[in-house]
Amino acid sequence: MKVFKFGGASVQDIDKVKNVAGIIDGYADEQLMIIISAMGKTTNALEKVAEAFFTGNKEQALQLFTIVKQQHVNMAKYLLVTHYNPCYAQLTDFFTEVEWLLHDKPVREYDYYYDQIVCVGELLSTCIVSTYLNEVGITNKWLDIRDIVRTDNNFRDAAVNWKWTEEAVKREITFEDNNIYITQGFIGSTDDNESTTLGREGSDFSAAIFANILDAESQTIWKDVEGVMNADPKAFPEAVVLHELSFDEVIEMAYYGAQVIHPKTIKPLHNKGIPLHVKCFLDSSLPGTVITKKNIKNLPPIYVVKQKQVLVHLHSKDFSFVGDEPIIALYQIFKDIKIKPNLIQTGAVSLQLCVDDRQDKLEQLAAAASAIFDVQIEKGLELLSIRHYDDATTARLAEGKQIILQQKTLDTLQVLYRI
Ligand code: ASP
Ligand code: MG
C-alpha cells in the first residue's frame, strides 16, 4: 500500500478537488491511505477565530467562524450532487462543536482552545472530499483520525502515543472491504477525547506515522511545487528542483526552517526505509523529488530565510561565568516554556539566542531568565541559513545586510541580520 498526503492548496477550490480525484483515479488498483489537509488557508483563518475567542472578542470569533463555515458550505453545495447526503449532517456537527465552544468563556489555556477550534479544518475538508470521491466512483472510507491517533495533552505540539496508535491503526485500517481510506493529518486526541494538534504542517508527519505502522511501500506528498527546491521559489526565483535527496539532508533543511516537509516526518520513514516522494499535484507527470537513505553528493547551496526572529541577549548579572549551572537552568527554562532556540552562541559571561518572535513565549523567557541574567531583546530580525554554502552564494545573499551574528560549521552557515 501507498500513503498519500494532499496539502491545503491541492483542495482549495472545486477544480483542485476534481484534480485530486483525477490523481487518485490514476492509482485505481492500489491500496491507498490518503491524508488531506484543511482547504486552502483554513487553518490560518481558524487560528484567527481562536485568537479572537481567547482575547474575549466572542462576536468577532463567531463572525470569523461564520466565514469559514460559509466557505465549506459553498464548497459542498457546488461540488456535491447529492445535497441531502450524510456529509451535510456531519459538517453541521463539526460547526456546532466549535460554535458551542465559542459561546463559552475561556477558562483554560490558549493552546487547548486553539486545538479544539483549529482541528475542525481537516475534519471539514476530508468530509467533503471523501463524499465527492464516493460520488464520482472512487470508493473510499472516511475515518475520524481522532479515534486512531492518540496523543498526550501537550496541546498544539502533542506527542503521539505510538503503542496505542499502532494498535488502533492495525485494527481500523485493514484494507479488507475497501482500497482507499481518507482521513485527516495534523490532529489527534487525548485519553479524555480532547482534540489535539501536532504542530503546524503536521499532516506530513501524520502520513509518516501511517506509512511506518502499515509498512507502506512509499509515501507521497502532493504539493503545488515541482518538488523539493533549494530555496523558496516565491522569495528566490533562481531556485531549482532537487530530484534526489537523503533523509539526512531533508531533516537538516527542515531544522533550519525550510517549509518543505514537517521535520518530524522523516524519522518514521527513515526507520523503516520507506521512500518519500514529493510530487506536484498540478502536473503529476513531473518526476518530483525522491528522498531515501542514499547519500547524495554535490548538492548545490540550499538556503532558507526565517523571518520574525528575535535576538535575546543574556548577560550574567554579577559577571560570573556562563558555566554549567546557568546553562542547565536556561535549558530547563526552554523546556518549561516550550521554546526552541534557532541558534545559540555562548561567550564567557554572556549568551545570545535567536528565537521565533512569539510574544507570550518571549515574556515568559525574559521573566524566567532574569533571575540569572540581565536580559535584552532585539526584534525585527531575519535568520539566513545556507547548507553547502560557497563564497558566491554567501556574498550574494548577505549583500547589504547588517549582520549581527554569524555561525559556521563545515556544512552550514547561519547569518542573523537586521532588516
Ligand atoms: N492544516 C494544517 C496546517 O495548515 C496542517 C497541515 O496542512 O499539515 O498547518
Ligand atoms: Mg500544508
Side-chain angles (χ1 to χ4, degrees):
M1 56 82 60
K2 294 184 164 78
V3 174
F4 281 0
K5 181 256 170 170
F6 288 96
S10 71
V11 288
Q12 69 183 4
D13 56 41
I14 288 176
D15 288 340
K16 294 280 188 334
V17 175
K18 291 184 176 171
N19 173 62
V20 164
I23 293 176
I24 298 172
D25 208 28
Y27 293 83
D29 302 325
E30 303 265 5
Q31 293 181 330
L32 299 175
M33 172 79 193
I34 303 176
I35 284 85
I36 302 173
S37 287
M39 290 172 167
K41 299 279 177 228
T42 305
T43 305
N44 294 359
L46 290 168
E47 282 185 337
K48 296 255 166 1
V49 174
E51 270 165 41
F53 166 73
F54 196 72
T55 49
N57 300 314
K58 185 169 124 183
E59 290 314 315
Q60 195 198 359
L62 283 163
Q63 258 169 28
L64 290 170
F65 187 65
T66 305
I67 299 172
V68 172
K69 195 169 139 178
Q70 208 50 55
Q71 282 162 347
H72 288 86
V73 169
N74 282 343
M75 177 66 111
K77 188 164 129 194
Y78 294 109
L79 185 68
L80 307 177
V81 230
T82 48
H83 285 174
Y84 294 99
N85 61 44
C87 177
Y88 278 81
Q90 218 178 352
L91 294 180
T92 307
D93 282 348
F94 296 137
F95 295 147
T96 314
E97 250 178 69
V98 174
E99 281 166 341
W100 190 69
L101 181 145
L102 294 180
H103 278 100
D104 266 353
K105 268 210 175 72
V107 287
R108 296 179 60 170
E109 80 272 25
Y110 175 65
D111 290 353
Y112 163 79
Y113 290 107
Y114 177 100
D115 282 3
Q116 310 318 303
I117 295 167
V118 165
C119 74
V120 84
E122 332 292 299
L123 293 163
L124 298 172
S125 98
T126 50
C127 174
I128 294 172
V129 177
S130 162
T131 308
Y132 173 71
L133 293 175
N134 275 323
E135 276 187 0
V136 296
I138 303 174
T139 309
N140 70 88
K141 186 172 174 190
W142 180 89
L143 298 168
D144 186 333
I145 211 60
R146 295 173 302 175
D147 298 332
I148 298 176
V149 172
R150 183 56 59 92
T151 70
D152 65 7
N153 60 1
N154 186 13
F155 296 104
R156 275 186 88 175
D157 188 21
V160 173
N161 176 338
W162 274 84
K163 195 170 171 291
W164 200 101
T165 302
E166 178 164 2
E167 277 169 25
V169 167
K170 289 189 168 154
R171 186 179 63 238
E172 301 296 331
I173 304 162
T174 56
F175 292 102
E176 262 163 25
D177 339 296
N178 69 294
N179 273 340
I180 301 178
Y181 293 89
I182 303 282
T183 195
Q184 311 80 44
F186 173 56
I187 68 176
S189 92
T190 66
D191 289 339
D192 299 326
N193 279 324
E194 288 170 333
S195 302
T196 50
T197 66
L198 312 178
R200 285 301 306 262
E201 303 299 324
S203 23
D204 294 352
F205 174 44
S206 307
I209 296 173
F210 299 121
N212 176 297
I213 295 173
L214 295 166
D215 285 307
E217 59 181 274
S218 65
Q219 172 172 330
T220 305
I221 299 179
W222 295 90
K223 291 178 80 84
D224 57 356
V225 287
E226 274 182 54
V228 178
M229 306 188 84
N230 72 325
D232 177 0
K234 289 187 199 100
F236 301 99
E238 73 279 13
V240 292
V241 180
L242 306 164
H243 291 295
E244 249 188 305
L245 285 169
S246 67
F247 285 122
D248 288 284
E249 185 62 40
V250 172
I251 202 144
E252 294 293 337
M253 288 171 71
Y255 172 78
Y256 290 111
Q259 305 268 312
V260 271
I261 292 152
H262 192 285
K264 288 185 191 160
T265 312
I266 306 302
K267 186 172 183 279
L269 299 177
H270 179 272
N271 287 359
K272 287 216 169 160
I274 299 168
L276 172 61
H277 297 267
V278 177
K279 282 179 67 83
C280 182
F281 62 75
L282 300 167
D283 183 355
S284 56
S285 70
L286 294 172
T289 302
V290 58
I291 302 155
T292 62
K293 283 189 173 178
K294 200 169 105 195
N295 187 17
I296 308 294
K297 295 215 173 65
N298 300 324
L299 286 168
I302 298 175
Y303 39 97
V304 185
V305 174
K306 263 195 183 177
Q307 289 167 333
K308 291 194 186 153
Q309 297 298 295
V310 179
L311 181 68
V312 182
H313 194 98
L314 305 172
H315 196 284
S316 82
K317 277 192 165 8
D318 56 358
F319 218 68
S320 60
F321 285 118
V322 181
D324 42 7
E325 295 290 336
I327 293 274
I328 291 168
L330 193 60
Y331 272 85
Q332 188 58 45
I333 296 171
F334 296 160
K335 187 172 172 229
D336 293 344
I337 64 179
K338 295 181 209 153
I339 203 166
K340 290 176 194 139
N342 297 323
L343 189 152
I344 301 179
Q345 179 87 40
T346 26
V349 289
S350 71
L351 199 139
Q352 305 188 81
L353 312 169
C354 172
V355 295
D356 294 339
D357 191 350
R358 271 196 58 187
Q359 190 55 30
D360 54 336
K361 302 266 176 196
L362 280 172
E363 280 167 16
Q364 290 175 48
L365 174 65
S370 64
I372 333 168
F373 301 103
D374 287 324
V375 184
Q376 272 173 9
I377 286 180
E378 177 172 355
K379 292 196 174 201
L381 307 174
E382 284 184 355
L383 179 64
L384 163 70
S385 305
I386 314 177
R387 301 262 307 147
H388 319 291
Y389 56 91
D390 58 27
D391 291 345
T393 311
T394 309
R396 178 169 66 82
L397 295 175
E399 199 196 325
K401 305 282 193 313
Q402 201 184 341
I403 296 171
I404 54 174
L405 188 61
Q406 193 162 318
Q407 223 175 52
K408 220 178 206 182
T409 67
L410 282 181
D411 295 323
T412 311
L413 169 70
Q414 288 194 285
V415 184
L416 184 68
Y417 53 83
R418 299 199 172 103
I419 42 169

